[in-house]
Amino acid sequence: MDTFWGPDFHALACADPEIADVVLAELERQRGHLQLIASENFTSTAVLAALGSTLANKYAEGYPGRRYYGGCAEVDRAELLAVERARDLFGADHANVQPHSGTAANLAAYAALAEPGDVVLAMELPHGGHLTHGSRGNFSGKWFHPVGYRVTPNTEEIDYDEVRDLALAHRPKMIICGSTSYPRTIDFATFRDIADEVGAYLLVDAAHFIGLVAGRAVPSPVPYADVVTCTTHKVLRGPRGGMILCRAELAERIDRAVFPFSQGSPMMHTVAAKAVALNEAATPAFRAYARQVVGNARALTAGLAAEGLRPVTGGTDTHLAVLDLRALELCGREAEARCAQARIALNKHAIPYDTEKPAVASGVRVGTSSVTAQGMREPEMRQIARMIGTAVRGDPGSAAGARALRDVGEEVTALTGGFPPYPLRLHPDDPAGVTRSARSPH
Ligand code: DSN
């Protein structure tokens, strides 16, 4: 089968050519640019099919067998499958697949484990933490009392002695580990010991790396954590959404913290798509994918180091790397803009102890989930590293720089053309016609 929109795209193109044009233009961007945003990925066409299904029409507040609406028998089957697959894949006592996002999953975890005003010990945002780990502008920083730990200035890795000292000094109700930019594996056993020492809950925010856990490419936090929160759309390759895994004795508290405390009806098309992704993630092919994601990240990071971009912590054990650009006398914002001009999508990112504002930043973050899903391997990672090295040095204000960015853009087009993330034909009957009529409605 070489179509994934089928008649639905025809319907969209006829009913709303302007939105159809957006959909096609974004598909072209995803196909024709290099996708190195560490939190993104390409879902399978099966996941997209579930997302675009009529399950989107159904209200289903509550849980399977205990809904506040009639007519939930079919969507109940989807949720039960998703829960069962999540529990089996991660060896967890309990799974809740309803959170709309990673932030929603974390809000529910706070609600289940802590009270407003409680002390929560988590990694500071510039060192790799997430907004929900105690940022001032977020519920976690407004309603709770955050205490932050950092990475060490010399190794840029977590200092577990400092975490223990802070825990003993502040006696947190909950300790959070897990990060949006920490490239090293986390010692969950030590975090567990520290949590036990001070009587705290341990929440592992595995949003970024849960797909690597599913693929057995990094250690699992499940045996150590009281609660694991995650997203389903990063390395895991599922739909945009969240998920919570927890110990049996916390199951009821977690479920109540999701519904009715913080959410209303789950989005059943997304729940079904999560089930599809979890099924895919249980295969040997997904394990090979996860291993390759890490192998590619290592190759890309080594290549970028050779181009003068210094990897924070010296390398990576995961799908991502943060690169310090200061030796190139360039900020993250400018590097992101230059790469974008060369059709390479990555994002500016703070490095530990950054003196720049987050909107400027001294680094960039890259990830290999998407390019690996496209089938790229180490040779392509070396090529991408060279292209990024050229792009970040390409000052668009100079003729030579503008030419270099154009040349890299053309090389990106040639490379991505050999690794299409989705079938090239949008509809088996008249692919070119669908594309043209949607993009030129008049
Ligand atoms: N925005 C996600 C990321 O890019 O890491 C985290 O929520």
Side-chain angles (χ1 to χ4, degrees):
M1 197 155 107
D2 61 355
T3 177
F4 62 93
W5 297 112
D8 294 342
F9 188 78
H10 268 306
L12 178 60
C14 294
D16 194 333
E18 287 170 292
I19 289 295
D21 185 66
V22 172
V23 172
L24 280 177
E26 175 59 13
L27 177 59
E28 282 173 19
R29 189 196 68 79
Q30 291 186 19
R31 281 176 174 155
H33 295 216
L34 272 172
Q35 310 301 334
L36 297 174
I37 306 281
S39 43
E40 294 180 354
N41 208 336
F42 295 115
T43 63
S44 69
T45 54
V47 167
L48 285 181
L51 277 175
S53 71
T54 52
L55 273 67
N57 297 334
K58 192 72 196 92
Y59 255 109
E61 277 178 15
Y63 289 97
R66 294 176 287 138
R67 305 285 191 186
Y68 289 83
Y69 291 85
C72 288
E74 307 308 337
V75 295
D76 273 7
R77 291 199 293 135
E79 183 161 347
L80 288 170
L81 279 169
V83 167
E84 184 186 318
R85 289 171 185 178
R87 287 173 39 194
D88 288 352
L89 182 59
F90 297 107
D93 293 343
H94 180 70
N96 186 307
V97 295
Q98 295 193 1
H100 299 326
S101 67
T103 293
N106 280 347
L107 172 58
Y110 274 81
L113 302 180
E115 297 287 334
D118 279 345
V119 174
V120 175
L121 177 62
M123 192 182 238
E124 287 186 10
L125 186 63
H127 292 252
H130 185 249
L131 280 172
T132 53
H133 297 182
S135 282
R136 270 200 301 259
N138 183 262
F139 78 86
S140 56
K142 280 199 192 299
W143 296 344
F144 296 87
H145 180 106
V147 175
Y149 59 89
R150 301 173 166 197
V151 297
T152 61
N154 50 341
T155 64
E156 298 172 315
E157 295 192 28
I158 294 169
D159 179 345
Y160 293 91
D161 292 334
E162 192 213 9
V163 176
R164 176 175 281 107
D165 290 346
L166 286 169
L168 288 168
H170 295 277
R171 314 299 296 191
K173 185 74 173 288
M174 177 164 83
I175 299 175
I176 304 178
C177 64
S179 159
T180 61
S181 61
Y182 189 65
R184 297 301 186 179
T185 51
I186 295 170
D187 183 349
F188 302 120
T190 297
F191 268 106
R192 177 76 264 164
D193 286 347
I194 296 169
D196 286 345
E197 227 174 301
V198 298
Y201 286 115
L202 179 60
L203 167 63
V204 177
D205 181 344
H208 260 268
F209 56 85
I210 195 73
L212 296 177
V213 175
R216 312 289 190 259
V218 299
S220 172
V222 171
Y224 303 99
D226 295 296
V227 174
V228 175
T229 54
C230 62
T231 54
T232 48
H233 51 271
K234 297 188 173 85
V235 188
L236 194 59
R237 298 193 64 187
R240 299 197 71 80
M243 185 167 69
I244 305 178
L245 308 168
C246 69
R247 293 192 285 108
E249 52 271 40
L250 293 170
E252 211 181 313
R253 274 157 71 180
I254 285 291
D255 284 353
R256 276 206 304 266
V258 175
F259 173 84
F261 182 80
S262 59
Q263 285 190 179
S265 184
M267 296 189 276
M268 297 314 297
H269 56 311
T270 307
V271 167
K274 288 173 187 174
V276 174
L278 290 162
N279 212 27
E280 292 173 350
T283 60
F286 190 87
R287 288 191 190 191
Y289 164 74
R291 275 197 306 275
Q292 189 63 50
V293 167
V294 177
N296 280 354
R298 290 202 167 116
L300 179 61
T301 306
L304 290 170
E307 292 289 332
L309 290 78
R310 185 187 70 82
V312 167
T313 76
T316 183
D317 304 322
T318 65
H319 61 299
L320 66 79
V322 176
L323 293 312
D324 174 359
L325 302 166
R326 288 174 302 177
L328 303 178
E329 296 184 353
L330 189 70
C331 69
R333 182 174 61 188
E334 183 60 24
E336 179 188 302
R338 291 180 184 184
C339 286
Q341 225 173 305
R343 299 183 194 146
I344 299 171
L346 45 69
N347 65 294
K348 59 183 162 293
H349 206 282
I351 59 171
Y353 302 97
D354 208 330
T355 52
E356 296 285 0
K357 292 187 180 118
V360 178
S362 298
V364 289
R365 185 184 67 165
V366 294
T368 52
S369 305
S370 301
V371 289
T372 309
Q374 287 174 269
M376 296 189 200
R377 300 286 178 265
E378 282 83 355
E380 287 79 32
M381 297 306 115
R382 289 189 276 276
Q383 183 183 355
I384 292 170
R386 181 179 47 70
M387 288 194 284
I388 291 174
T390 306
V392 297
R393 287 184 175 82
D395 176 2
S398 76
R403 199 166 43 247
L405 292 175
R406 223 176 17 253
D407 289 348
V408 172
E410 281 168 19
E411 195 179 341
V412 166
T413 303
L415 175 63
T416 52
F419 295 91
Y422 288 112
L424 288 174
R425 297 202 300 156
L426 289 175
H427 191 275
D429 301 332
D430 181 16
V434 167
T435 306
R436 259 200 310 277
S437 65
R439 302 232 55 202
S440 318
H442 307 299

